[in-house]
Amino acid sequence: MNVRQLYHTIRGVQDLAATERESTVSRSLRRRCWLWRRGFLSRSDAVYDLDESTYRDYVSDYQRYVRSKRINGTWSVALSNKLLFHRVMQPFDAHRMAVYGMLRDGTYHPIDDRVDGPAAGSAARHELADGGPALEAVSGTISGTESDRTEGRRERDAPHTTRNAAQRVVERLEAEERLVLKWVRGGGGNNVLLCTRTEDGYRVNGDQYAEVEFRSLVSNLDEYLVCEYVEQGPFGAALYPETPNTLRIITMYDEAAGEPFIAAAIHRIGTSDSAPLDNFTQGGLSAAIDPDSGTLSAGAQPPVDGEVEWHSRHPDTGVPIDGAQVPGWHRIRERLLEIAAGCSFVPYVGWDVIVTDEDGSFTVIEANSYPGLKSIQVHGPLLADDRVRRFYERHGVR
């Protein structure tokens, strides 16, 4: 084990221990010891069917936190750094979200060079990479202090960066009405702000902000990307309209066959417990996707105290889940495998995908280098699939 591997092993064990300390799942000391010796956290015991005859078929928490982090090696940064991932996805432009800029030290740095947003036709709004025309102001609609407006007018012609980051985000929201601000690193739905322009101010992750408060919030963000809000299609919106409902698809690159394959796929569905996001660990649902047909299973919801709850219909909307079919699934599956093949230097990816229509169009909003597996393995152990097991063995996870 080299120094880098040792460092990541120690960090992984620390993360594992911290997660166990935060667990609200109650287990006897004897049961916890049994779980720990086999690499599992108490929280997994509430989700998986673990006993002496089954535990070896599951990817354990130790294997996920410590060993799976090594699979992509130095190229894991291509996924963990969201701006770098945005660049990696450039050959697949039709399936990547727009990233308008980055907030850093109170400065707005333009990123994308595409005409952006539904209002682009009315005011030629676009950011040019490597320095270019700044965003045109939306005249007559931007409120704020006179100094903000003066600075905004002065900096609209700036060739590179803009010091008043809050002004640029406010302008963008005037044009787009919705934005996503996300930290350039990290995952799991943490440090993601869903921003909406309202009649009397702004809404951020469901909380109302006056304009002064919103500007203060944005001004204090560091290394956050300003991204488009991707509208989900009718299927996802019907399941639960209050959250973006994403597909999580895990691909693995089979070196022997020279091709990627889908190891598992689920449809994550938000609930009143998880809103404004659809994360399983925060109370969202996970419905398994049949890889051949795109048909959904019942939705699993993690236990608060007790066992996993299974829902054939959405607990809030009553919309059927079990037996529903992801629209355009075959097109989504084949196109995502093409993208995974184009990124074969990153052999292990958890793709987060929003389906945007009924014909299989989709946008990749994020990718994960060592994706969480509870929302996957709640439907059954991954290692029961021989091809998946061989992949993990080849990369030293098993």
Side-chain angles (χ1 to χ4, degrees), residues 313-330:
R313 291 178 174 269
H314 194 283
D316 299 310
T317 64
V319 173
I321 298 173
D322 192 8
Q325 191 166 33
V326 178
W329 168 251
H330 292 95

Side-chain angles (χ1 to χ4, degrees), residues 232 234-245 267-275 283 285 296 299 301 311-322 324:
Q232 62 188 339
F235 180 79
L239 289 170
Y240 188 68
E242 302 303 318
T243 64
N245 302 304
H267 202 315
R268 298 189 296 197
I269 308 166
T271 67
S272 56
D273 292 331
S274 72
L285 306 180
L296 300 184
Q301 190 170 31
H311 300 273
S312 59
R313 291 178 174 269
H314 194 283
D316 299 310
T317 64
V319 173
I321 298 173
D322 192 8

Side-chain angles (χ1 to χ4, degrees), residues 20-73:
E20 180 67 3
R21 285 195 298 269
E22 295 168 0
S23 176
T24 59
V25 175
S26 177
R27 291 292 185 270
S28 68
L29 179 59
R30 181 178 181 180
R31 181 62 178 175
R32 284 176 182 252
C33 289
W34 185 91
L35 293 166
W36 295 339
R37 285 198 299 269
R38 290 155 182 81
F40 293 95
L41 300 176
S42 302
R43 191 178 298 173
S44 296
D45 197 33
V47 177
Y48 303 158
D49 179 22
L50 295 174
D51 59 33
E52 283 293 346
S53 64
T54 62
Y55 81 88
R56 292 179 182 84
D57 287 335
Y58 289 90
V59 178
S60 72
D61 295 297
Y62 178 82
Q63 290 166 338
R64 186 251 164 177
Y65 275 87
V66 177
R67 294 181 179 174
S68 71
K69 285 185 178 181
R70 305 171 187 164
I71 294 176
N72 291 327

Side-chain angles (χ1 to χ4, degrees), residues 160-387:
H160 299 291
T161 60
T162 302
R163 288 296 304 170
N164 193 340
Q167 178 68 18
R168 294 297 290 276
V169 173
V170 166
E171 290 179 358
R172 175 62 62 186
L173 267 172
E174 292 291 340
E176 305 286 335
E177 296 186 352
R178 287 183 172 185
L179 287 175
V180 178
L181 307 180
K182 59 170 67 176
W183 193 36
V184 74
R185 296 183 294 275
N190 300 313
N191 303 308
V192 176
L193 304 177
L194 305 184
C195 306
T196 305
R197 183 74 168 99
T198 64
E199 291 183 1
D200 55 351
Y202 302 87
R203 186 178 297 112
V204 181
N205 287 355
D207 297 326
Q208 190 67 28
Y209 284 73
E211 181 165 338
V212 171
E213 296 171 323
F214 181 72
R215 286 176 179 270
S216 176
L217 172 69
V218 173
S219 297
N220 289 312
L221 296 177
D222 190 43
E223 295 197 341
Y224 270 69
L225 299 180
V226 181
C227 309
E228 73 167 315
Y229 182 95
V230 179
E231 293 285 353
Q232 62 188 339
F235 180 79
L239 289 170
Y240 188 68
E242 302 303 318
T243 64
N245 302 304
T246 57
L247 311 186
R248 163 62 63 84
I249 303 173
I250 295 181
T251 61
M252 299 176 173
Y253 194 81
D254 186 332
E255 295 177 1
E259 63 181 15
F261 67 97
I262 292 177
I266 60 170
H267 202 315
R268 298 189 296 197
I269 308 166
T271 67
S272 56
D273 292 331
S274 72
L277 299 173
D278 62 354
N279 293 60
F280 179 73
T281 55
Q282 297 170 9
L285 306 180
S286 167
I289 301 174
D290 183 277
D292 295 322
S293 67
T295 302
L296 300 184
S297 73
Q301 190 170 31
V304 176
D305 186 17
E307 298 182 350
V308 173
E309 294 185 23
W310 293 90
H311 300 273
S312 59
R313 291 178 174 269
H314 194 283
D316 299 310
T317 64
V319 173
I321 298 173
D322 192 8
Q325 191 166 33
V326 178
W329 168 251
H330 292 95
R331 180 182 176 189
I332 294 168
R333 181 188 64 195
E334 297 310 311
R335 183 57 176 153
L336 192 65
L337 285 172
E338 290 176 11
I339 296 173
C343 301
S344 58
F345 54 91
V346 189
Y348 184 47
V349 184
W351 307 88
D352 290 344
V353 169
I354 290 183
V355 181
T356 54
D357 63 18
E358 298 292 277
D359 299 321
S361 298
F362 66 91
T363 298
V364 177
I365 61 169
E366 199 164 296
N368 301 270
S369 186
Y370 60 104
L373 297 178
K374 286 183 177 58
S375 61
I376 300 289
Q377 294 191 121
V378 68
H379 300 285
L382 274 173
L383 300 179
D385 183 312
D386 288 341
R387 197 176 190 187

